[in-house]
């Protein structure tokens, strides 16, 4: 029996008069305890023995019920009485409680219920308190897309000293990925090979440090490159809402696209091979799948969300009209095919409750160029981003249209392009904007979970 589906396992309503303890002279319900500790995701659950004490001359049929004080108390809780109906002189029952893993991380909490014994005329009711402990598994997030997900903030913009904005945190980890380069990914097989995707030794998880998309330098125990992305500020925004470590899975690649392009990397983001010659391959999708699977396997964590920032490289006449269908196919495939975690196979599928956040592209303008007005093709992609919650379940948008130099958010400062040239402009967000984007992605992630199928 699952709360919210059956009257006998429901939240109290104003008309129920189900507050406080109620007694009857005919019988009383005596639980072994009225204060239960329950761990989220513990398949064994907790069983509470119950005894119905009858007066000597009473032998009626009594039905047992559990009610939460509010809907929030009953969320994700399964409760079973064995038996639920005590006939004649029966007196022994038990209540088994189990709490499923929530779609979003939870904090320790106290939930309030009433145990009720009722013979359709008389009632004994008493409080039951459940102390909830969150599941003891890390929260895993996939970071995907192109350069603004990597973060081209500018050389020397990282502020990672004690107390500074980009300081690493011991509870924020990352998959120690290899750097994006043709040397590391010389052929299709390399995109899914363990040795091409992670650096160092198992469990391949290190304390997260910007830039996330380059490996830890073991010689110095940190990273020498001095630019940032949005991932670390996202994770810091998430910390107050979880008791667990956070694991970031970097999988973006600068200049990447769904579209086949001689100017981008060899890999593309398509989830399926097709016969449209305008579209490229599936290698970056497969790489993201591989990296997330590694992180989940090594950590035992739970996939809590997918963050996406991409679109500039598909802003052309051939590929922009296909962008929504391509992005939807990608997110459907990721939700369906990333390895199952502690939530089980039911938490995988096209509309699985794995929130997706897509971010809008830069509209910055300075002396290096004006990106405030989009081309027709780029506007198509922007419309797709802003309407993500309309065409994809459990999705939301992180809007960055106001993160402009005029509003105190300078564009990218001087960072060498990974391809070896110079790619400095307002195409890329600057450090202040990227930190704010991380916080907005987290807010949007919480909103995405409020967008289930049919909403």
């Amino acid at each position: 029996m699952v709360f919210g589906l059956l009257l006998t396992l429901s939240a109290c309503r104003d008309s129920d008069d189900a507050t406080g303890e109620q007694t009857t002279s005919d019988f009383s319900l005596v639980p072994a305890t009225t204060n239960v500790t329950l761990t989220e995701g513990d398949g064994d659950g907790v069983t509470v023995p119950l005894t119905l004490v009858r007066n000597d001359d009473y032998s009626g049929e009594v039905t047992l019920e559990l009610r939460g004080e509010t809907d929030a108390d009953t969320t994700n809780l399964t409760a079973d009485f064995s038996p639920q109906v005590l006939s004649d002189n029966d007196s022994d029952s038990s209540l088994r409680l189990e709490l499923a893993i929530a779609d979003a991380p939870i904090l320790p909490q106290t939930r309030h219920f009433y145990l009720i014994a009722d013979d359709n005329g008389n009632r004994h009711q008493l409080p039951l308190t459940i102390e909830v402990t969150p599941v003891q598994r890390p929260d895993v997030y996939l970071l995907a897309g192109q350069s603004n997900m990597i973060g081209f903030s500018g050389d020397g913009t990282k502020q990672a000293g004690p107390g500074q904005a980009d300081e690493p945190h011991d509870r924020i980890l990352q998959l120690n990925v290899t750097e994006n380069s043709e040397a590391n990914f010389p052929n299709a097989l390399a995109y899914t090979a363990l040795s091409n995707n992670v650096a160092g030794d198992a469990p391949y998880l290190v304390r997260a440090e910007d830039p996330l998309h380059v490996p830890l330098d073991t010689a110095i125990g940190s990273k020498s490159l001095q630019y940032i992305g949005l991932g670390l500020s996202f994770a810091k925004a998430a910390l107050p809402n979880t008791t667990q470590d956070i694991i970031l899975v970097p999988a973006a690649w600068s200049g990447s696209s769904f579209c086949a392009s001689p100017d981008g990397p060899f890999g593309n983001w398509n989830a399926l091979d097709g016969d449209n010659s305008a579209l490229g391959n599936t290698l970056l999708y497969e790489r993201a799948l591989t990296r997330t699977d590694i992180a989940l396997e090594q950590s035992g964590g739970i996939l809590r969300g997918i963050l996406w920032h991409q679109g500039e490289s598909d802003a052309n006449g051939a590929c922009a009209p296909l962008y929504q269908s391509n992005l939807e196919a990608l997110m459907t495939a990721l939700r369906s095919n990333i390895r199952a975690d502690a939530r089980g196979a039911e938490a995988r599928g096209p509309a699985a409750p794995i929130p997706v956040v897509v971010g809008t592209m830069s509209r910055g303008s300075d002396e290096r160029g004006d990106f405030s007005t989009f081309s027709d093709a780029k506007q198509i992609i922007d419309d797709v981003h802003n309407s993500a919650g309309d065409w994809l379940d459990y999705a939301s948008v992180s809007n960055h249209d106001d993160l402009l130099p005029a509003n105190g958010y300078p564009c990218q400062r001087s960072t060498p392009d990974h391809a070896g040239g110079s790619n400095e402009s307002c195409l890329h967000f600057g450090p202040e904007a990227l930190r704010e984007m991380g916080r907005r992605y987290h807010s949007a992630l919480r909103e995405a979970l409020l967008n289930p199928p049919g909403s």
Side-chain angles (χ1 to χ4, degrees):
M1 301 180 185
V2 181
F3 274 100
L5 299 181
L6 298 176
L7 178 62
T8 53
L9 292 173
S10 60
C12 296
R13 299 178 298 277
D14 291 342
S15 60
D16 288 335
D17 190 25
T19 58
E21 184 168 355
Q22 299 180 24
T23 61
T24 173
S25 60
D26 289 331
F27 53 85
S28 60
L29 184 62
V30 181
T33 181
T34 58
N35 197 323
V36 176
T37 298
L38 190 60
T39 299
E40 182 190 26
D42 181 359
D44 293 332
V46 172
T47 299
V48 180
L50 306 171
T51 301
L52 186 74
V53 179
R54 302 171 183 266
N55 289 341
D56 292 340
D57 59 349
Y58 181 80
S59 60
E61 183 177 274
V62 176
T63 299
L64 305 180
E65 180 182 350
L66 183 69
R67 288 190 179 182
E69 285 191 354
T70 68
D71 288 337
D73 290 316
T74 65
T75 301
N76 293 321
L77 186 70
T78 301
D80 288 299
F81 289 94
S82 183
Q84 186 173 9
V85 177
L86 296 173
S87 303
D88 302 322
N89 295 314
D90 291 342
S91 60
D92 293 328
S93 182
S94 63
L95 170 62
R96 183 181 179 278
L97 300 165
E98 184 177 344
L99 187 65
I101 298 172
D103 295 336
I106 65 171
L107 296 173
Q109 55 194 253
T110 302
R111 301 190 183 189
H112 300 280
F113 297 83
Y114 291 102
L115 271 171
I116 299 170
D118 195 308
D119 69 352
N120 204 28
N122 301 297
R123 168 184 288 192
H124 181 214
Q125 173 178 298
L126 68 161
L128 175 72
T129 299
I130 299 179
E131 303 292 342
V132 173
T133 300
V135 64
Q136 301 298 295
R137 293 177 179 271
D139 304 324
V140 178
Y141 296 93
L142 171 61
L143 314 181
Q146 58 181 109
S147 54
N148 275 313
M149 180 57 75
I150 292 174
F152 277 20
S153 61
D155 191 33
T157 58
K158 183 167 79 169
Q159 300 176 9
Q164 291 187 309
D166 310 315
E167 179 187 9
H169 193 289
D170 288 342
R171 282 180 52 209
I172 303 175
L173 309 177
Q174 70 166 96
L175 188 68
N176 193 24
V177 297
T178 57
E179 191 168 6
N180 295 333
S181 69
E182 290 185 11
N184 287 325
F185 298 92
N187 53 50
L189 293 177
Y191 282 76
T192 55
L194 176 66
S195 61
N196 295 83
N197 276 283
V198 292
D201 300 321
Y204 311 119
L205 301 173
V206 297
R207 188 174 67 164
E209 180 181 342
D210 279 314
L212 298 177
H213 285 75
V214 299
L216 183 73
D217 186 339
T218 56
I220 60 174
S222 63
K223 300 178 183 180
S224 59
L225 294 174
Q226 296 296 306
Y227 61 93
I228 69 165
L230 63 88
L232 193 58
S233 65
F234 163 82
K236 288 181 178 181
L239 276 177
N241 298 297
T242 183
T243 61
Q244 301 304 297
D245 289 347
I246 293 172
I247 297 176
L248 304 175
V249 182
W253 193 310
S254 175
S256 59
S257 60
F258 296 101
C259 205
S261 171
D263 300 323
F266 178 55
N268 299 107
W269 283 108
N270 297 287
L272 301 170
D273 288 315
D275 55 6
N276 189 329
S277 61
L279 299 179
N281 56 51
T282 62
L283 295 179
L284 287 179
Y285 155 67
E286 293 170 18
R287 190 179 78 151
L289 201 66
T290 296
R291 291 184 171 189
T292 312
D293 284 354
I294 293 169
L296 290 171
E297 180 180 19
Q298 294 290 313
S299 69
I302 297 170
L303 181 62
R304 295 295 193 180
I306 301 170
L307 312 186
W308 176 258
H309 199 289
Q310 191 275 340
E312 295 89 347
S313 293
D314 283 291
N316 58 67
C319 292
L322 306 174
Y323 189 76
Q324 179 175 319
S325 60
N326 288 336
L327 186 55
E328 183 175 12
L330 174 64
M331 295 307 162
T332 295
L334 288 169
R335 284 172 165 173
S336 299
N337 298 325
I338 290 173
R339 66 178 290 138
D341 52 38
R343 290 198 291 166
E346 60 270 23
R348 294 293 181 268
I354 301 168
V356 170
V357 178
V358 300
T360 61
M361 299 171 287
S362 172
R363 288 185 179 271
S365 175
D366 64 15
E367 67 279 1
R368 295 170 297 180
D370 185 350
F371 290 82
S372 60
T373 302
F374 289 167
S375 67
D376 290 345
K378 202 169 185 179
Q379 187 59 54
I380 290 172
I381 292 174
D382 186 62
D383 291 343
V384 171
H385 290 160
N386 278 297
S387 64
D390 297 331
W391 53 265
L392 186 65
D393 297 326
Y394 294 113
S396 186
V397 61
S398 177
N399 188 285
H400 315 134
D401 287 353
D402 62 325
L403 299 182
L404 307 171
N407 295 333
Y409 296 98
C411 301
Q412 172 203 11
R413 300 175 197 171
S414 56
T415 296
D417 187 292
H418 281 288
S422 178
N423 189 20
E424 303 165 11
S425 73
C426 279
L427 182 69
H428 298 124
F429 294 94
E432 294 85 357
L434 288 164
R435 295 181 190 112
E436 174 61 18
M437 287 163 66
R439 293 185 285 268
R440 293 188 186 186
Y441 265 84
H442 178 255
S443 295
L445 189 89
R446 296 167 70 85
E447 294 171 5
L449 283 171
L450 303 177
N451 184 34
S455 63

